Amino acid sequence: MKAIVVHEFGGPEVLHFEEIATPAPSAGQVLVRINAAGVNPYDTYMRAGTYAIKPTLPYIPGSDGGGVVESAGKGVEKFVPGDRVYVGRTISGAYAQFAVALESQVHPLPTNVSFAQAAGVWVPYGTAYHGLRQCGGARPGDTVLIHGASGGVGIAAVQIARASGLTVIGTAGTEKGRELVLREGAHHVFDHTRPGYLEQIMDATSGKGITVILEMLANVNLGHDLKLLALNGRVVVIGSRGDVTISPRDLMTRRGSIRAFTLWAITEAEEKEIHAAVFAGLENGTLRPIVGKQLPLAEAARAHKEILEPGAFGKIVLLP
Ligand code: NAP
């Protein structure tokens, strides 16, 4: 099969497009023909060797993909060849024509969702759901700020929040991104590159502040977020690319809190809840993964450069 293989940590140039042996599923495992693989920012940190999780070299990147079950190992009960599925983590890596995964990492895909969309399900929707509901505790009637709403996680959060009865405020750095955020369900959208936008956000809440902030770039925004919180408000740190200074008094006066997580560390029960909620949302059309760009698998290096550039528009996916 064709696959992207990383033999040493480094820049995007270490992503090699190679012909390697197709893996075979052992007992309890499923072999999935990957029709589309999702590109997430963490794929780039892992490739660079700077991420908390360092895979054993050589490795095939990618945890997200959409495709069809090719074969199933002994003891697999839920899947048969031909089933449409999405994967949320794999054993062998998703940037490939085939991937082996544990049965528990494979999930049924509703027929109204394309394979390219399926590649944008696990990390974006899992993170958005966990951040908003399980970690942030957002409830219908609350106001949420999705600080960085135009990318994979942001668009997922906008859709989940809107379908859950929240007042949704999003931010994006381009006109195209802001149009997308509004189209996907935000009540208000602001430009996070423009001076004065934080005051505009506060005005949009009539001065009451925000109940839950989902923060995609905490090293830039965390200190400002605290000043936007309503009484008992929470900032959920999802993304951060450096250090930041905050004024704890901003939290004290608002009885506020900062929460944070990585999707790798959620519990089995939380993961089960996420897949059930996401399947229902995909099936009833309230969750609609947005594929902004599709590139051939061989262009994985380009995808790794572009995912870190400003001007996000949903997901970048690779087609094996
Ligand atoms: P993405 O698709 O690349 O989107 C990045 C988002 O950040 C875009 O909406 C971008 O907006 C926005 N952004 C850029 N500058 C910003 C600023 N100054 N203030 C607020 N937002 C800004 O990435 P993603 O998949 O959505 O992931 C977002 C972040 O969360 C990444 O850092 C990722 O590593 C992290 N993450 C963490 C977990 C976890 O388990 N904790 C899981 C998934 C992702 P414009 O491009 O429109 O400016």
Side-chain angles (χ1 to χ4, degrees):
M1 68 172 184
K2 296 278 197 298
I4 296 292
V5 185
V6 174
H7 295 272
E8 55 178 336
F9 297 117
E13 69 283 354
V14 303
L15 298 166
H16 293 288
F17 186 59
E18 296 179 1
E19 180 84 39
I20 60 168
T22 303
S26 302
Q29 300 178 357
V30 179
L31 180 68
V32 179
R33 177 185 289 272
I34 300 288
N35 289 331
V39 177
N40 289 295
Y42 93 82
D43 298 343
T44 71
Y45 323 147
M46 195 175 261
R47 182 216 67 226
T50 57
Y51 197 53
I53 297 171
K54 265 195 181 185
T56 308
L57 295 168
Y59 80 100
I60 298 173
S63 53
D64 295 9
V68 174
V69 171
E70 182 76 7
S71 61
K74 232 173 138 184
V76 169
E77 290 174 352
K78 284 191 279 176
F79 300 101
V80 294
D83 284 350
R84 302 174 86 252
V85 294
Y86 72 91
V87 293
R89 289 171 285 132
T90 70
I91 295 169
S92 61
Y95 286 19
Q97 286 178 316
F98 294 91
V100 277
L102 296 174
E103 185 176 14
S104 58
Q105 296 169 333
V106 182
H107 305 276
L109 184 68
T111 49
N112 57 323
V113 182
S114 72
F115 293 122
Q117 287 179 302
V121 170
W122 169 237
V123 168
Y125 284 85
T127 303
Y129 186 92
H130 184 73
L132 189 68
R133 306 293 293 269
Q134 296 170 330
C135 184
R139 303 181 65 86
D142 287 345
T143 299
V144 62
L145 167 62
I146 299 157
H147 214 163
S150 48
V153 177
I155 290 295
V158 167
Q159 294 172 354
I160 295 169
R162 182 62 189 250
S164 308
L166 282 90
T167 299
V168 184
I169 302 175
T171 73
T174 64
E175 189 58 42
K176 199 174 158 212
R178 287 190 291 279
E179 278 169 18
L180 178 68
V181 171
L182 273 184
R183 192 187 85 197
E184 293 307 315
H187 296 90
H188 309 279
V189 69
F190 298 98
D191 180 351
H192 52 229
T193 67
R194 212 175 154 159
Y197 83 100
L198 295 164
E199 290 75 14
Q200 292 177 327
I201 290 174
M202 196 50 142
D203 289 346
T205 72
S206 308
K208 292 194 190 77
I210 309 281
T211 330
V212 174
I213 299 177
L214 299 187
E215 183 50 64
M216 304 303 157
L217 201 57
N219 54 303
V220 172
N221 296 321
L222 188 58
H224 307 299
D225 287 341
L226 302 187
K227 299 185 199 308
L228 290 175
L229 287 179
L231 198 66
N232 296 311
R234 291 84 72 186
V235 180
V236 178
V237 175
I238 292 178
S240 187
R241 293 180 179 162
D243 296 338
V244 62
T245 302
I246 62 161
S247 297
R249 189 163 287 276
D250 290 331
L251 281 175
M252 293 153 68
T253 52
R254 295 168 180 82
R255 299 162 51 116
S257 52
I258 301 170
R259 303 176 184 183
F261 69 91
T262 73
L263 194 62
W264 303 102
I266 64 170
T267 66
E268 225 179 285
E270 286 169 335
E271 184 167 341
K272 222 171 144 193
E273 177 185 327
I274 289 171
H275 287 294
V278 167
F279 184 87
L282 291 172
E283 198 178 35
N284 70 24
T286 52
L287 306 186
R288 306 162 299 274
I290 300 297
V291 179
K293 190 173 284 177
Q294 304 186 47
L295 295 172
L297 181 62
E299 291 189 34
R302 179 178 157 198
H304 273 214
K305 283 183 206 135
E306 293 186 2
I307 185 110
L308 296 182
E309 287 167 2
F313 190 87
K315 290 296 302 175
I316 300 178
V317 309
L318 296 170
L319 305 178

